[in-house]
Amino acid sequence: MDVKKDILWRVYLGFILMAIVGTCILGKAVYIQQVQGAYWRGMSDSLHQRIISLDAERGTIYSEDGSMLSTSIPQFDIYIDFMAEGLRDKNGKRFKENIDSLSICLANLFHDKSSAEYKYLLQTGYREKDRYFLLRKKMSFKEYQQLRNFPLVRLGRNKSGFIPDKRIIRLNPYKMLAYRTIGLLRDSNKVGLELTYDKYLQGTAGKRLVRFIAGGVSVPVDDYEVEAENGKDVITTLDVNIQDVTENALMKMMVKNKADHGCAIVMEVKTGKIKAIANLGHERDSLYWEDYNYAITPTEPGSTFKLATMLSLLEDRKINLNTNVDLNGGKWQIYKRTVYDAEEHGLFNVTAKQAFEHSSNVAMAKLAVTHYSNNPNQFVNHLRKLGLDTLTGIDLNGEIKPTIYKPGSKRWSNTTLPWMAFGYNLTVSPLQMLTLYNAVANQGRMMKPYLVNEIREDGRPIQQFQPIALKDSICTKSTLQQLQECLEGVVLEGTGKGLKSNYYRIAGKTGTALVANGNRGYDDKIYQSTFVGYFPADNPQYTIIVTIKNKPHAANYFGASVAGPVFKEISDQIFLLKVNQKHNVIDTFPKNDSSWYSYAGYTKDIKKIAENLGVNIAANEAKGNYSRIYKQGGNNVLSSQQISMKRMPILLGMGLKDVVYLCENLGLKVVVKGRGKVTTQTIPAGQNITKGQTVNIQLN
C-alpha cells in the first residue's frame, strides 16, 4: 500500500511539474508574441540584407521650343524608426527636446493637422516603439527639401529615425496635350514616344545594398552602391502653341457635334515634321480624352482619296482637267449597284476639274471604270507607288498597315474599282492621306513624317534626325500643277468655298464617308467628316488633316461643315503665329515722322500721356476702360472698346502689362513671345472665350 502511494505521489509530482513547465513555456510564448512581438520581428527584419535595383531617372521629352512634355519627378513616402539609437539616448532626451518644434513645423507644412495632433501622433509612435511609422505618403520634392531642415530631421537618419522612401513618378505638365502621342509610362503596354524611344529614356539601373527593418521598409547600407545612369532626353518636333491650337479647335467641334472621336495633324511641308497631333475619343462621362491614336489607324477615307484617283488619271494621260464627264445628276448605276454623290447638285455635263471640285463620286467611278476596268492593276500600281499600301514609317509604335485589295484576290469584285476611286473598299490612315497631300504641297517631294529631332545627354546632342524624302517626285510637273489647281479650286469654287480666307490662299479637299458600325453595318448612318489641305497655297508651309467620326444620324456631317471649320481655325491661328504677321502689325511712330500712328492701352493712361505731351483728342472721347488712339484726317481720335467677360477683346497695339492684366481678369492663360506691342493674338477679337483657355501673344 505504501509502495502504491509512493508511486502515485511521484506521478502526481511529475505531472504537476510538467504542467508548471508547460504553463511557463506557453506564457513565455504568449508574452514574446503579444508583448515583444514587434521588437523581435524588427530584429528579425534587421538581419535581412540584399542588393536591390535602383531605377534610373527617366529622360525628359521636350517640345521643339524646349517645353517639357513629359518628365520624371521624385516623390517620397516618409517613415520613422522610433527604435533608432539616436532617439533612445538618455531616456529619449533628443526626441523630447525637439518634438514641440517639429510638430509645429509639420503642421505649418502640410496644413492637415494641428501641431497638437502631430505631437500626439509622434508621442504614440515613440511610446509603442514603432519601427515603421508612416508619417506622410506622396510627398513632393519641394516638401521633402523643407522637411530635411526641420528640427530633429536635420540631425540625420541615425539620430532622427526619419527614413525617406523615394520613387520616381512620371508627370505630363501639359496634361492632355498630345497625351497619346507622348505616351503613357506604365509597367506594361507603354505607348507613344515613351515606348518608341524607351531604350533612350529609361537609362541604366543602379544597385544598392539595403537592410530591411520592421514592416519591410529598407534602409540603405553605406558599404555598397552603384549609381544609376539617368536616361537621355528626347527633343520632339512638336510645337506646344500649335498643339494647343489644334486640340482646342478639334475639341470645340467634337463637343458641338457630339462626335464619337476625331484627330487632327499638322505637318511642316518642307521637312515632314509633325508639329501637332491631336486624338480625342468620347468617354463614358461625356468628356473627351486622348484615349487612342486615331491618326495612325486606317479607315475608309472617302472623297479625300479622289486626289490619288486624279493623279493616276492625269499621270497616265487618260484625261485632262477639261475632259467632259456626265454626272447624271449625281446618281449612276453599275453592276446592279448605285453610286451616289454625297451632296445633291443636279449637275450633268461638267469638266473633270469641276467634278473634283464638287466632289462627285459618280465622276470618279465613271472615269476609273472607263480607263482602268480592262487593266485595274495599272490603277492599283499607282496607289502602291504613292506608298498607300505601306506604313509611313513614322517614329511612333502602333501604326497599322493600310488595306489595298489586289485585282484577282478573293476580296476583289466588279464594284471594287469604281468604289476605290472615291475612297471605299480600302483603308488608309489620316497620316497617310496627310503625307500624300503634303507631297503635292511640296512640289511632288514626299517627306517621311517624323516626331523626334534629336536625343540629348546632359544637354548635349548625341543623335540627330534629319528630314527624309520617301520619294523625290510622286508625279510629273504637269500632273502636279493640275492637282494643285484642282485643290485650290475646291476652296475657290467647290465644296470648300466656305473656308476661303481674306489673308492667304488655301488648297484642300473635303471628304464625307459613310462608315460601318460593326455588325449593324451602315444602318446607323454614321459619317466620317474630313478636310485635308495646305496653306498658303502659293507658298505652302503647313499641311493639315482633320478627321471626325460623327454620332449616328448626326444632322451635320459633311466634311466642309464639320472638319472644315476646324482646319480653318487651326490654319488661321498658325498663319498669325508662324507664317505671316505683317498684315496685323500695329504701326508705330516712324523715326522722322509722326503723322500717322496707332496705340492702345488703358484709357486713363492714354489720356494722361496725351495731356503731358500736349496732344489734343477729338471730341468723341472714349468711355470704356481700354481705348485706342490714332490719327485720322488730321485729328487725334480716341476710340474705346467695351470689355465683355465672354468675348475676346482686341489686344493689338497694347503693351504687355495691359494685356496680362486684362486677359488674366478674363480667366485666360497668356503665353507671350517677343517684346514691345502686341502684333498678333491667336484668339480672334469677338470670339467666345472660356476660363482657362490659352491665348498666344506675339509682340513686335
Side-chain angles (χ1 to χ4, degrees):
M1 195 69 177
D2 291 336
V3 174
K4 185 177 180 181
K5 287 182 178 181
D6 184 57
I7 293 172
L8 286 174
W9 179 81
R10 291 183 182 186
V11 171
Y12 291 149
L13 180 61
F15 176 78
I16 292 170
L17 289 174
M18 290 177 66
I20 292 172
V21 172
T23 302
C24 291
I25 293 172
L26 182 62
K28 186 65 174 179
V30 172
Y31 178 77
I32 291 173
Q33 186 177 17
Q34 300 299 322
V35 180
Q36 296 183 318
Y39 172 78
W40 289 111
R41 280 192 293 271
M43 288 294 291
S44 173
D45 289 337
S46 68
L47 297 176
H48 288 69
Q49 291 186 354
R50 75 165 183 259
I51 295 174
I52 63 171
S53 176
L54 292 177
D55 291 336
E57 185 174 323
R58 194 170 178 84
T60 297
I61 299 176
Y62 290 94
S63 68
E64 193 168 48
D65 61 356
S67 300
M68 287 185 182
L69 300 177
S70 181
T71 189
S72 296
I73 61 171
Q75 197 175 72
F76 300 86
D77 293 341
I78 305 298
Y79 300 90
I80 306 176
D81 177 10
F82 283 110
M83 290 300 292
E85 294 180 4
L87 288 179
R88 294 293 167 178
D89 66 322
K90 299 180 181 179
N91 297 321
K93 180 181 178 182
R94 181 176 290 116
F95 176 77
K96 293 175 183 177
E97 287 177 347
N98 288 280
I99 187 172
D100 289 324
S101 54
L102 175 60
S103 300
I104 293 171
C105 289
L106 292 173
N108 292 335
L109 177 61
F110 300 123
H111 303 289
D112 60 341
K113 296 181 180 67
S114 66
S115 58
E117 289 175 314
Y118 269 111
K119 182 176 180 179
Y120 176 76
L121 283 176
L122 295 172
Q123 286 177 329
T124 301
Y126 186 84
R127 184 172 58 253
E128 295 179 355
K129 300 179 180 180
D130 196 336
R131 304 208 68 176
Y132 191 57
F133 179 84
L134 175 62
L135 177 67
R136 189 79 176 180
K137 287 186 73 70
K138 298 182 179 179
M139 180 186 287
S140 69
F141 180 67
K142 184 178 180 181
E143 290 174 330
Y144 176 64
Q145 284 182 309
Q146 296 180 59
L147 177 71
R148 291 175 61 182
N149 295 318
F150 284 0
L152 189 63
V153 185
R154 58 174 168 247
L155 299 178
R157 180 179 301 179
N158 293 331
K159 293 183 178 180
S160 68
F162 276 74
I163 304 168
D165 186 9
K166 175 183 174 182
R167 64 177 180 274
I168 301 297
I169 63 170
R170 201 67 170 167
L171 177 69
N172 291 57
Y174 287 94
K175 305 295 181 182
M176 192 174 67
L177 205 70
Y179 188 66
R180 191 75 190 185
T181 301
I182 295 166
L184 313 177
L185 179 63
R186 47 196 180 190
D187 294 335
S188 60
N189 297 323
K190 296 184 181 74
V191 299
L193 295 174
E194 292 280 11
L195 171 62
T196 306
Y197 289 89
D198 186 56
K199 67 177 182 179
Y200 296 104
L201 291 164
Q202 67 180 348
T204 305
K207 296 179 180 180
R208 173 183 288 171
L209 181 64
V210 298
R211 173 173 56 86
F212 289 89
I213 62 173
V217 70
S218 61
V219 179
V221 176
D222 296 334
D223 295 347
Y224 179 82
E225 181 173 337
V226 176
E227 290 189 5
E229 181 181 331
N230 293 337
K232 299 168 180 61
D233 298 331
V234 172
I235 315 301
T236 71
T237 62
L238 297 173
D239 184 295
V240 170
N241 292 331
I242 296 179
Q243 180 72 36
D244 186 48
V245 163
T246 302
E247 285 198 2
N248 285 334
L250 180 63
M251 177 70 80
K252 280 193 290 185
M253 182 56 72
M254 297 284 291
V255 172
K256 179 181 178 181
N257 223 37
K258 297 180 181 178
D260 182 74
H261 66 254
C263 70
I265 319 170
V266 180
M267 178 186 282
E268 195 172 75
V269 170
K270 303 298 182 185
T271 63
K273 289 182 179 181
I274 301 298
K275 309 307 295 181
I277 180 167
N279 295 278
L280 296 177
H282 192 263
E283 299 292 299
R284 293 180 181 176
D285 53 2
S286 298
L287 297 175
Y288 289 94
W289 187 253
E290 288 247 350
D291 62 342
Y292 187 75
N293 208 326
Y294 303 103
I296 56 177
T297 303
T299 61
E300 287 182 310
S303 294
T304 57
F305 195 80
K306 290 170 184 173
L307 180 69
T309 302
M310 283 294 287
L311 185 149
S312 303
L313 291 164
L314 292 169
E315 189 72 356
D316 290 336
R317 299 178 183 269
K318 305 287 188 183
I319 65 169
N320 58 51
L321 296 188
N322 294 319
T323 298
N324 185 268
V325 186
D326 184 0
L327 304 187
N328 292 87
K331 185 170 68 173
W332 180 55
Q333 192 170 33
I334 180 173
Y335 301 120
K336 298 182 180 181
R337 291 186 63 184
T338 304
V339 178
Y340 294 94
D341 284 345
E343 298 185 45
E344 294 183 7
H345 48 66
L347 298 174
F348 287 87
N349 291 314
V350 299
T351 66
K353 178 175 180 289
Q354 290 172 325
F356 184 87
E357 291 169 350
H358 290 281
S359 197
S360 173
N361 297 336
V362 171
M364 294 300 113
K366 272 191 171 185
L367 290 170
V369 170
T370 300
H371 298 290
Y372 293 114
S373 59
N374 292 329
N375 185 13
N377 272 314
Q378 187 178 8
F379 175 71
V380 173
N381 285 338
H382 276 291
L383 306 185
R384 291 173 181 166
K385 289 177 183 178
L386 293 173
L388 293 174
D389 63 333
T390 60
L391 301 176
T392 65
I394 188 173
D395 49 341
L396 191 66
N397 284 42
E399 185 181 13
I400 301 174
K401 190 176 180 180
T403 302
I404 303 288
Y405 298 133
K406 298 178 181 179
S409 67
K410 292 181 180 179
R411 302 301 297 270
W412 190 272
S413 68
N414 289 335
T415 58
T416 301
L417 176 62
W419 260 258
M420 284 179 69
F422 56 91
Y424 288 86
N425 279 345
L426 53 85
T427 62
V428 294
S429 70
L431 181 62
Q432 286 169 313
M433 292 309 301
L434 178 74
T435 303
L436 173 60
Y437 277 75
N438 192 77
V440 174
N442 197 27
Q443 302 304 315
R445 196 164 191 245
M446 181 176 282
M447 304 305 297
K448 177 182 177 180
Y450 69 107
L451 276 161
V452 171
N453 279 321
E454 61 184 33
I455 309 296
R456 290 182 186 171
E457 184 176 22
D458 299 326
R460 174 177 49 85
I462 60 171
Q463 188 171 352
Q464 294 180 315
F465 302 94
Q466 301 299 328
I468 296 174
L470 297 175
K471 297 182 185 299
D472 289 327
S473 180
I474 61 171
C475 60
T476 62
K477 288 184 178 180
S478 174
T479 298
L480 185 68
Q481 290 172 356
Q482 293 178 85
L483 292 176
Q484 292 171 341
E485 187 178 340
C486 286
L487 292 174
E488 281 199 69
V490 170
V491 179
L492 293 174
E493 304 292 340
T495 54
K497 60 185 177 182
L499 305 178
K500 282 191 291 189
S501 170
N502 294 327
Y503 302 109
Y504 60 95
R505 287 156 52 189
I506 296 173
K509 182 72 184 73
T510 58
T512 308
L514 181 64
V515 295
N517 186 19
N519 295 330
R520 293 182 59 82
Y522 297 95
D523 293 339
D524 288 336
K525 299 297 181 183
I526 298 176
Y527 287 90
Q528 181 171 277
S529 310
T530 303
F531 189 89
V532 53
Y534 53 85
F535 70 98
D538 52 341
N539 181 24
Q541 302 295 312
Y542 296 94
T543 308
I544 304 172
I545 187 169
V546 178
T547 299
I548 296 175
K549 182 181 177 183
N550 298 288
K551 66 179 182 179
H553 304 286
N556 182 22
Y557 58 84
F558 288 112
S561 57
V562 177
V566 179
F567 176 100
K568 183 64 162 46
E569 183 174 342
I570 297 170
S571 64
D572 279 350
Q573 304 225 32
I574 293 176
F575 184 79
L576 289 172
L577 277 171
K578 304 289 182 180
V579 180
N580 188 348
Q581 301 172 4
K582 293 180 181 179
H583 72 283
N584 247 341
V585 172
I586 299 299
D587 296 84
T588 56
F589 288 118
K591 292 182 179 179
N592 301 316
D593 183 12
S594 60
S595 62
W596 198 97
Y597 57 85
S598 174
Y599 285 104
Y602 195 55
T603 304
K604 289 183 178 179
D605 291 343
I606 292 178
K607 286 183 176 181
K608 186 174 182 179
I609 293 172
E611 182 182 347
N612 290 338
L613 294 176
V615 176
N616 296 319
I617 301 175
N620 57 334
E621 293 186 1
K623 295 182 179 180
N625 286 334
Y626 289 88
S627 303
R628 185 178 310 280
I629 185 173
Y630 54 91
K631 201 85 168 180
Q632 187 179 66
N635 296 319
N636 302 306
V637 179
L638 193 65
S639 176
S640 69
Q641 65 168 318
Q642 297 293 330
I643 304 300
S644 167
M645 297 300 291
K646 296 182 179 180
R647 295 185 181 277
M648 189 68 197
I650 302 172
L651 304 179
L652 304 180
M654 288 187 183
L656 181 59
K657 182 179 178 181
D658 287 331
V659 167
V660 172
Y661 179 80
L662 175 57
C663 290
E664 290 192 348
N665 280 337
L666 294 175
L668 300 172
K669 296 178 181 178
V670 184
V671 177
V672 180
K673 286 189 176 182
R675 295 187 300 175
K677 303 290 185 181
V678 177
T679 60
T680 61
Q681 58 187 80
T682 55
I683 302 178
Q687 182 173 304
N688 291 335
I689 55 176
T690 56
K691 286 189 176 182
Q693 194 172 353
T694 300
V695 56
N696 296 283
I697 302 300
Q698 179 70 49
L699 308 179
N700 64 0

